Amino acid sequence: MKDNSAVPTHHNPRISIVIPARNEARNLEVILPMLPLVHQVILVDGASVDGTADVARRVLPKIEVIHQTRRGKGNALACGFAAATGDIIVMFDADGSADSAEIPAFIAALTAGADVAKGSRFRPGGGSHDITRFRGLGNHCLNLLTNILLRTRYTDLCYGYNAFWRDILPHLDLPDVTLKQRSDGRMIWGDGFEIETILTCRMAAAGLIVTEVASFEKLRIHGVSNLNAVSDGLRVLKTILDEHRRARRAGPARSIERTRVRTSRSVPAVHLALVSNPAEEAA
């Protein structure tokens, strides 16, 4: 993987792609060769039993494999974020639903001045082969509630394809990855599928500049999703209400300190080469 450390981060940022995965070996064989050539690719393994980590290392020899400290997608992402060394972090699902060809559009939004590039299936040019009418209706209602309570204009609340500058992490206040699993077996809040909603709400509460990027969600390639529309939908609803109360306690968003150089919207489009043959990269 290419190291862009000598290039000014505001013109050609180093990119870290974080991929949470649990038993996704067959899907990784498909998606990893399609990733662009970037500074760092991190696979966060969630106690897989199908050889996920071994397959990842075979397909992409320079991938960094770490193991999450607890369970749940939220904890996996937080572990990946903590290990990232790039200027920009891209959240990328291992099931094949995310299109790696869209990554340059996310990076372009960030280098044009956004703090966060948030994927949206409901912006012109976006869409989904996976979302059902029932889930779509639920997402619309939850999205509307979030926009009312947080005074935002999001079009897609529960989509996990996002990218952001690494220097905003302190403002997200995610659960400490060093905390131990609860003794009663329950997840620490923020460790589960509510993570996308937490991120969306806290980005708004912190006053970050969020640009939505049209994205098309593809079908999972192999396996079955762990998402439950009803139970996880209720978890998202609780998250919205909790985050609204949290934002009210915190008061108006203050101007945040950024470590990067801000850029104008005249920055040229970002071009990333695809890794179509991992052997070529290793050479």
Side-chain angles (χ1 to χ4, degrees), residues 235-255:
R235 197 172 178 89
V236 168
L237 176 60
K238 181 181 185 305
T239 303
I240 295 169
L241 299 177
D242 285 351
E243 290 300 314
H244 176 239
R245 287 190 289 268
R246 184 178 188 273
R248 291 187 64 181
R249 289 195 301 269
R254 300 176 181 177
S255 59

PDB file of all heavy atoms in Angstrom, residues 235-255:
ATOM      1  N   ARG A 235     -33.568  -0.020  18.649  1.00  0.00           N
ATOM      2  CA  ARG A 235     -32.298   0.423  19.223  1.00  0.00           C
ATOM      3  C   ARG A 235     -31.896   1.775  18.626  1.00  0.00           C
ATOM      4  O   ARG A 235     -31.393   2.652  19.330  1.00  0.00           O
ATOM      5  CB  ARG A 235     -31.226  -0.631  18.952  1.00  0.00           C
ATOM      6  CG  ARG A 235     -29.970  -0.522  19.798  1.00  0.00           C
ATOM      7  CD  ARG A 235     -29.068  -1.722  19.583  1.00  0.00           C
ATOM      8  NE  ARG A 235     -27.829  -1.635  20.346  1.00  0.00           N
ATOM      9  CZ  ARG A 235     -27.668  -2.084  21.573  1.00  0.00           C
ATOM     10  NH1 ARG A 235     -28.691  -2.655  22.195  1.00  0.00           N
ATOM     11  NH2 ARG A 235     -26.508  -1.969  22.197  1.00  0.00           N
ATOM     12  N   VAL A 236     -32.146   1.956  17.329  1.00  0.00           N
ATOM     13  CA  VAL A 236     -31.846   3.232  16.671  1.00  0.00           C
ATOM     14  C   VAL A 236     -32.748   4.331  17.227  1.00  0.00           C
ATOM     15  O   VAL A 236     -32.294   5.463  17.477  1.00  0.00           O
ATOM     16  CB  VAL A 236     -32.010   3.105  15.152  1.00  0.00           C
ATOM     17  CG1 VAL A 236     -31.992   4.487  14.487  1.00  0.00           C
ATOM     18  CG2 VAL A 236     -30.913   2.228  14.563  1.00  0.00           C
ATOM     19  N   LEU A 237     -34.041   4.020  17.431  1.00  0.00           N
ATOM     20  CA  LEU A 237     -34.969   5.010  18.002  1.00  0.00           C
ATOM     21  C   LEU A 237     -34.486   5.462  19.374  1.00  0.00           C
ATOM     22  O   LEU A 237     -34.473   6.661  19.673  1.00  0.00           O
ATOM     23  CB  LEU A 237     -36.370   4.401  18.095  1.00  0.00           C
ATOM     24  CG  LEU A 237     -37.434   5.285  18.776  1.00  0.00           C
ATOM     25  CD1 LEU A 237     -37.610   6.602  18.035  1.00  0.00           C
ATOM     26  CD2 LEU A 237     -38.760   4.529  18.875  1.00  0.00           C
ATOM     27  N   LYS A 238     -34.104   4.522  20.213  1.00  0.00           N
ATOM     28  CA  LYS A 238     -33.582   4.879  21.535  1.00  0.00           C
ATOM     29  C   LYS A 238     -32.332   5.745  21.396  1.00  0.00           C
ATOM     30  O   LYS A 238     -32.145   6.710  22.161  1.00  0.00           O
ATOM     31  CB  LYS A 238     -33.257   3.618  22.332  1.00  0.00           C
ATOM     32  CG  LYS A 238     -32.731   3.891  23.743  1.00  0.00           C
ATOM     33  CD  LYS A 238     -32.396   2.614  24.477  1.00  0.00           C
ATOM     34  CE  LYS A 238     -31.991   2.883  25.926  1.00  0.00           C
ATOM     35  NZ  LYS A 238     -30.885   3.836  26.073  1.00  0.00           N
ATOM     36  N   THR A 239     -31.497   5.416  20.417  1.00  0.00           N
ATOM     37  CA  THR A 239     -30.269   6.191  20.197  1.00  0.00           C
ATOM     38  C   THR A 239     -30.597   7.638  19.857  1.00  0.00           C
ATOM     39  O   THR A 239     -29.979   8.573  20.387  1.00  0.00           O
ATOM     40  CB  THR A 239     -29.441   5.567  19.067  1.00  0.00           C
ATOM     41  OG1 THR A 239     -29.148   4.210  19.383  1.00  0.00           O
ATOM     42  CG2 THR A 239     -28.147   6.332  18.862  1.00  0.00           C
ATOM     43  N   ILE A 240     -31.556   7.845  18.962  1.00  0.00           N
ATOM     44  CA  ILE A 240     -31.935   9.208  18.557  1.00  0.00           C
ATOM     45  C   ILE A 240     -32.390  10.017  19.775  1.00  0.00           C
ATOM     46  O   ILE A 240     -31.968  11.178  19.964  1.00  0.00           O
ATOM     47  CB  ILE A 240     -33.051   9.161  17.499  1.00  0.00           C
ATOM     48  CG1 ILE A 240     -32.538   8.508  16.214  1.00  0.00           C
ATOM     49  CG2 ILE A 240     -33.577  10.566  17.204  1.00  0.00           C
ATOM     50  CD1 ILE A 240     -33.630   8.183  15.218  1.00  0.00           C
ATOM     51  N   LEU A 241     -33.249   9.429  20.589  1.00  0.00           N
ATOM     52  CA  LEU A 241     -33.769  10.139  21.760  1.00  0.00           C
ATOM     53  C   LEU A 241     -32.659  10.415  22.771  1.00  0.00           C
ATOM     54  O   LEU A 241     -32.572  11.512  23.333  1.00  0.00           O
ATOM     55  CB  LEU A 241     -34.896   9.320  22.398  1.00  0.00           C
ATOM     56  CG  LEU A 241     -36.107   9.068  21.492  1.00  0.00           C
ATOM     57  CD1 LEU A 241     -37.134   8.179  22.199  1.00  0.00           C
ATOM     58  CD2 LEU A 241     -36.750  10.387  21.060  1.00  0.00           C
ATOM     59  N   ASP A 242     -31.798   9.428  22.980  1.00  0.00           N
ATOM     60  CA  ASP A 242     -30.679   9.619  23.914  1.00  0.00           C
ATOM     61  C   ASP A 242     -29.728  10.702  23.419  1.00  0.00           C
ATOM     62  O   ASP A 242     -29.252  11.542  24.196  1.00  0.00           O
ATOM     63  CB  ASP A 242     -29.904   8.311  24.084  1.00  0.00           C
ATOM     64  CG  ASP A 242     -30.629   7.300  24.954  1.00  0.00           C
ATOM     65  OD1 ASP A 242     -31.648   7.672  25.561  1.00  0.00           O
ATOM     66  OD2 ASP A 242     -30.181   6.134  25.024  1.00  0.00           O
ATOM     67  N   GLU A 243     -29.436  10.684  22.110  1.00  0.00           N
ATOM     68  CA  GLU A 243     -28.496  11.662  21.552  1.00  0.00           C
ATOM     69  C   GLU A 243     -29.091  13.066  21.561  1.00  0.00           C
ATOM     70  O   GLU A 243     -28.372  14.052  21.723  1.00  0.00           O
ATOM     71  CB  GLU A 243     -28.089  11.257  20.143  1.00  0.00           C
ATOM     72  CG  GLU A 243     -27.212  10.023  20.080  1.00  0.00           C
ATOM     73  CD  GLU A 243     -25.903  10.178  20.838  1.00  0.00           C
ATOM     74  OE1 GLU A 243     -25.251  11.224  20.676  1.00  0.00           O
ATOM     75  OE2 GLU A 243     -25.547   9.260  21.595  1.00  0.00           O
ATOM     76  N   HIS A 244     -30.408  13.158  21.413  1.00  0.00           N
ATOM     77  CA  HIS A 244     -31.068  14.464  21.504  1.00  0.00           C
ATOM     78  C   HIS A 244     -30.913  15.039  22.907  1.00  0.00           C
ATOM     79  O   HIS A 244     -30.572  16.223  23.081  1.00  0.00           O
ATOM     80  CB  HIS A 244     -32.553  14.333  21.143  1.00  0.00           C
ATOM     81  CG  HIS A 244     -33.322  15.616  21.296  1.00  0.00           C
ATOM     82  ND1 HIS A 244     -34.416  15.742  22.130  1.00  0.00           N
ATOM     83  CD2 HIS A 244     -33.127  16.840  20.741  1.00  0.00           C
ATOM     84  CE1 HIS A 244     -34.867  16.978  22.071  1.00  0.00           C
ATOM     85  NE2 HIS A 244     -34.112  17.661  21.239  1.00  0.00           N
ATOM     86  N   ARG A 245     -31.121  14.193  23.922  1.00  0.00           N
ATOM     87  CA  ARG A 245     -30.955  14.646  25.307  1.00  0.00           C
ATOM     88  C   ARG A 245     -29.493  15.009  25.572  1.00  0.00           C
ATOM     89  O   ARG A 245     -29.197  15.999  26.245  1.00  0.00           O
ATOM     90  CB  ARG A 245     -31.424  13.558  26.272  1.00  0.00           C
ATOM     91  CG  ARG A 245     -32.941  13.391  26.327  1.00  0.00           C
ATOM     92  CD  ARG A 245     -33.350  12.483  27.470  1.00  0.00           C
ATOM     93  NE  ARG A 245     -32.992  11.093  27.208  1.00  0.00           N
ATOM     94  CZ  ARG A 245     -33.804  10.219  26.635  1.00  0.00           C
ATOM     95  NH1 ARG A 245     -35.020  10.597  26.244  1.00  0.00           N
ATOM     96  NH2 ARG A 245     -33.421   8.971  26.445  1.00  0.00           N
ATOM     97  N   ARG A 246     -28.595  14.228  25.035  1.00  0.00           N
ATOM     98  CA  ARG A 246     -27.169  14.493  25.216  1.00  0.00           C
ATOM     99  C   ARG A 246     -26.779  15.832  24.600  1.00  0.00           C
ATOM    100  O   ARG A 246     -26.032  16.614  25.203  1.00  0.00           O
ATOM    101  CB  ARG A 246     -26.365  13.367  24.565  1.00  0.00           C
ATOM    102  CG  ARG A 246     -24.854  13.429  24.751  1.00  0.00           C
ATOM    103  CD  ARG A 246     -24.221  12.213  24.075  1.00  0.00           C
ATOM    104  NE  ARG A 246     -22.809  12.086  24.364  1.00  0.00           N
ATOM    105  CZ  ARG A 246     -21.841  12.668  23.679  1.00  0.00           C
ATOM    106  NH1 ARG A 246     -22.144  13.438  22.632  1.00  0.00           N
ATOM    107  NH2 ARG A 246     -20.576  12.502  24.013  1.00  0.00           N
ATOM    108  N   ALA A 247     -27.309  16.119  23.410  1.00  0.00           N
ATOM    109  CA  ALA A 247     -27.000  17.375  22.731  1.00  0.00           C
ATOM    110  C   ALA A 247     -27.565  18.572  23.497  1.00  0.00           C
ATOM    111  O   ALA A 247     -26.921  19.632  23.579  1.00  0.00           O
ATOM    112  CB  ALA A 247     -27.546  17.342  21.305  1.00  0.00           C
ATOM    113  N   ARG A 248     -28.752  18.407  24.075  1.00  0.00           N
ATOM    114  CA  ARG A 248     -29.358  19.502  24.834  1.00  0.00           C
ATOM    115  C   ARG A 248     -28.552  19.797  26.097  1.00  0.00           C
ATOM    116  O   ARG A 248     -28.376  20.960  26.476  1.00  0.00           O
ATOM    117  CB  ARG A 248     -30.803  19.148  25.202  1.00  0.00           C
ATOM    118  CG  ARG A 248     -31.748  19.114  24.015  1.00  0.00           C
ATOM    119  CD  ARG A 248     -33.191  18.930  24.445  1.00  0.00           C
ATOM    120  NE  ARG A 248     -33.658  20.061  25.231  1.00  0.00           N
ATOM    121  CZ  ARG A 248     -34.890  20.152  25.759  1.00  0.00           C
ATOM    122  NH1 ARG A 248     -35.749  19.150  25.577  1.00  0.00           N
ATOM    123  NH2 ARG A 248     -35.253  21.197  26.444  1.00  0.00           N
ATOM    124  N   ARG A 249     -28.050  18.742  26.738  1.00  0.00           N
ATOM    125  CA  ARG A 249     -27.234  18.952  27.934  1.00  0.00           C
ATOM    126  C   ARG A 249     -25.927  19.660  27.587  1.00  0.00           C
ATOM    127  O   ARG A 249     -25.420  20.474  28.347  1.00  0.00           O
ATOM    128  CB  ARG A 249     -26.934  17.621  28.621  1.00  0.00           C
ATOM    129  CG  ARG A 249     -28.116  16.975  29.311  1.00  0.00           C
ATOM    130  CD  ARG A 249     -27.667  15.869  30.253  1.00  0.00           C
ATOM    131  NE  ARG A 249     -26.937  14.820  29.559  1.00  0.00           N
ATOM    132  CZ  ARG A 249     -27.497  13.735  29.038  1.00  0.00           C
ATOM    133  NH1 ARG A 249     -28.819  13.568  29.131  1.00  0.00           N
ATOM    134  NH2 ARG A 249     -26.769  12.822  28.436  1.00  0.00           N
ATOM    135  N   ALA A 250     -25.377  19.332  26.414  1.00  0.00           N
ATOM    136  CA  ALA A 250     -24.102  19.919  26.003  1.00  0.00           C
ATOM    137  C   ALA A 250     -24.238  21.369  25.582  1.00  0.00           C
ATOM    138  O   ALA A 250     -23.266  22.131  25.626  1.00  0.00           O
ATOM    139  CB  ALA A 250     -23.501  19.101  24.865  1.00  0.00           C
ATOM    140  N   GLY A 251     -25.444  21.781  25.180  1.00  0.00           N
ATOM    141  CA  GLY A 251     -25.658  23.148  24.739  1.00  0.00           C
ATOM    142  C   GLY A 251     -25.260  23.352  23.294  1.00  0.00           C
ATOM    143  O   GLY A 251     -24.924  22.394  22.583  1.00  0.00           O
ATOM    144  N   PRO A 252     -25.277  24.610  22.815  1.00  0.00           N
ATOM    145  CA  PRO A 252     -24.955  24.894  21.408  1.00  0.00           C
ATOM    146  C   PRO A 252     -23.564  24.396  21.034  1.00  0.00           C
ATOM    147  O   PRO A 252     -22.642  24.419  21.848  1.00  0.00           O
ATOM    148  CB  PRO A 252     -25.036  26.430  21.325  1.00  0.00           C
ATOM    149  CG  PRO A 252     -25.867  26.835  22.498  1.00  0.00           C
ATOM    150  CD  PRO A 252     -25.595  25.823  23.574  1.00  0.00           C
ATOM    151  N   ALA A 253     -23.433  23.933  19.806  1.00  0.00           N
ATOM    152  CA  ALA A 253     -22.134  23.428  19.334  1.00  0.00           C
ATOM    153  C   ALA A 253     -21.123  24.569  19.303  1.00  0.00           C
ATOM    154  O   ALA A 253     -21.418  25.676  18.863  1.00  0.00           O
ATOM    155  CB  ALA A 253     -22.290  22.825  17.940  1.00  0.00           C
ATOM    156  N   ARG A 254     -19.928  24.282  19.798  1.00  0.00           N
ATOM    157  CA  ARG A 254     -18.854  25.265  19.776  1.00  0.00           C
ATOM    158  C   ARG A 254     -17.994  25.036  18.534  1.00  0.00           C
ATOM    159  O   ARG A 254     -17.959  23.950  17.977  1.00  0.00           O
ATOM    160  CB  ARG A 254     -17.993  25.125  21.038  1.00  0.00           C
ATOM    161  CG  ARG A 254     -18.777  25.339  22.337  1.00  0.00           C
ATOM    162  CD  ARG A 254     -17.888  25.082  23.539  1.00  0.00           C
ATOM    163  NE  ARG A 254     -18.629  25.253  24.794  1.00  0.00           N
ATOM    164  CZ  ARG A 254     -18.112  25.030  25.994  1.00  0.00           C
ATOM    165  NH1 ARG A 254     -16.842  24.637  26.098  1.00  0.00           N
ATOM    166  NH2 ARG A 254     -18.843  25.202  27.071  1.00  0.00           N
ATOM    167  N   SER A 255     -17.293  26.072  18.127  1.00  0.00           N
ATOM    168  CA  SER A 255     -16.397  25.910  16.987  1.00  0.00           C
ATOM    169  C   SER A 255     -15.293  24.933  17.373  1.00  0.00           C
ATOM    170  O   SER A 255     -14.732  25.009  18.464  1.00  0.00           O
ATOM    171  CB  SER A 255     -15.785  27.258  16.582  1.00  0.00           C
ATOM    172  OG  SER A 255     -15.072  27.824  17.657  1.00  0.00           O
TER     173      SER A 255
END
